Amino acid sequence: MKVSVCVPTYNHEKYIAQMLEGALMQQTDFPFEIVIGDDASTDSSPTIIQKYSDNNPGRIRAFLHSENQGPKEPREFAGRNNVLQLLKACKGEYVALCEGDDYWTDPLKLQKQVDFLDNNPDFSMCHHNMLVTYEDGSPEHFFNKPDQKRISTIEDLLEDKWFMATASWLYRNHFLNHDFAEWHSKAAAGDWAIMLQIAAQGKLGYIPETMGVYRKHSAGLSNIHTHTNQNFLANRKQMFENVDEWLDYKYTDTIQKTVARYDEQLSAFGKIGSSN
């Protein structure tokens, strides 16, 4: 299998059909599968997914969990186990991620990204631009700015820069033959944890085309993973410290500057508390 499309989903009944249609319309000269895991949704998502699975035998592998895979606490880790199980179920040479509330708009997305990685063996992944839309009607905008670098490295991530919409990823399936890093299970930001491990394997390429839509809405985890959440900030700081050790301190100068910025933000919470 050339590509596994990994789709974690939970309570996405309003969106999941559009996501699946965007994946099924992909025009490729290689085989690909859709590996979807519903984390015990309480809406009609499982029914919709089952219908698509029945209509696309051999193309969609659906894991419809009857119980939420957790963990329930802390809330910053919600959905983690479903995602990790799905990543391990992906058998493709490459993996494309798309959560159930996002979708692709370019039928050649997978082909373009596979061609890029096939032709650039020193790259471990590539990403592209996305249109960001808001449930509350806020103005839409592009995820990446016009000056987004065409080539990035793990050091850019270690500077605490995030420039890759999750639904734009295509990466070499490192986890097919390797376990997740020990620190991964302790990191609330699961997308960061995945990408840091991928970026440790090679460069990151950017295709400056808009090939999908990233939805921002009230139920999204991005509303919990914010810099106003003290627990999340503390967890992010710990993640970078754990990664520093994992990388044998090769990038420690860069990482320690990042950690220092988190220390400053966390100390601000203490000052706010003492002033009340």
Side-chain angles (χ1 to χ4, degrees):
M1 184 63 61
K2 190 70 171 181
V3 174
S4 294
V5 178
C6 181
V7 188
T9 184
Y10 176 71
N11 282 355
H12 289 152
E13 65 178 1
K14 293 192 294 184
Y15 316 118
I16 192 61
Q18 191 169 26
M19 182 276 136
L20 288 170
E21 291 290 347
L24 290 166
M25 76 173 180
Q26 292 298 304
Q27 301 170 17
T28 66
D29 61 12
F30 52 79
F32 70 91
E33 64 176 358
I34 299 170
V35 184
I36 185 168
D38 182 83
D39 205 5
S41 290
T42 57
D43 61 10
S44 63
S45 295
T47 302
I48 298 170
I49 294 167
Q50 186 65 62
K51 181 179 179 180
Y52 271 89
S53 180
D54 292 343
N55 291 337
N56 295 275
R59 173 56 60 89
I60 297 177
R61 284 197 288 137
F63 298 87
L64 304 178
H65 299 296
S66 58
E67 293 184 11
N68 189 277
Q69 300 300 289
K72 293 182 179 179
E73 295 293 338
R75 63 178 183 156
E76 290 85 4
F77 285 66
R80 165 64 51 80
N81 293 337
N82 181 43
V83 174
L84 295 184
Q85 291 170 23
L86 275 182
L87 291 175
K88 276 299 187 182
C90 291
K91 303 305 181 186
E93 176 185 349
Y94 300 128
V95 174
L97 222 68
C98 191
E99 296 182 353
D101 50 349
D102 300 325
Y103 63 99
W104 299 332
T105 54
D106 187 338
L108 297 177
K109 169 206 150 67
L110 289 181
Q111 186 70 57
K112 292 173 183 176
Q113 290 187 282
V114 165
D115 288 346
F116 178 90
L117 289 182
D118 278 352
N119 293 325
N120 295 278
D122 53 335
F123 283 72
S124 60
M125 71 88 67
C126 64
H127 64 110
H128 56 76
N129 211 344
M130 299 278 288
L131 181 68
V132 183
T133 64
Y134 293 83
E135 183 184 61
D136 65 5
S138 298
E140 61 186 31
H141 59 86
F142 293 111
F143 189 92
N144 293 106
K145 296 178 180 178
D147 62 353
Q148 173 61 44
K149 292 196 298 184
R150 298 290 291 267
I151 301 174
S152 302
T153 68
I154 191 171
E155 196 151 12
D156 292 295
L157 291 176
L158 296 175
E159 291 175 354
D160 203 16
K161 298 174 183 174
W162 188 252
F163 44 86
M164 300 171 289
T166 307
S168 76
W169 296 1
L170 184 83
Y171 66 81
R172 299 188 192 279
N173 194 356
H174 174 72
F175 304 114
L176 188 61
N177 300 308
H178 297 85
D179 290 332
F180 301 110
E182 185 274 335
W183 54 266
H184 187 144
S185 63
K186 305 171 187 174
D191 48 2
W192 275 85
I194 295 165
M195 193 43 57
L196 283 166
Q197 292 167 84
I198 297 299
Q201 312 304 316
K203 293 181 288 188
L204 316 173
Y206 174 62
I207 299 174
E209 298 180 32
T210 303
M211 296 193 265
V213 173
Y214 168 35
R215 285 191 176 98
K216 299 264 292 187
H217 53 89
S218 57
L221 267 181
S222 59
N223 293 289
I224 298 174
H225 293 179
T226 72
H227 285 246
T228 58
N229 181 336
Q230 185 174 1
N231 290 335
F232 183 69
L233 287 177
N235 182 274
R236 179 68 70 88
K237 173 194 169 185
Q238 184 65 56
M239 179 189 73
F240 280 109
E241 291 175 334
N242 291 340
V243 169
D244 198 10
E245 180 180 4
W246 177 68
L247 293 171
D248 296 323
Y249 305 101
K250 181 180 179 181
Y251 303 96
T252 194
D253 289 346
T254 299
I255 293 174
Q256 288 309 311
K257 291 176 183 176
T258 298
V259 169
R261 289 194 295 271
Y262 279 99
D263 278 331
E264 291 175 5
Q265 294 178 70
L266 288 164
S267 66
F269 277 94
K271 293 174 183 175
I272 293 171
S274 62
S275 66
N276 291 336

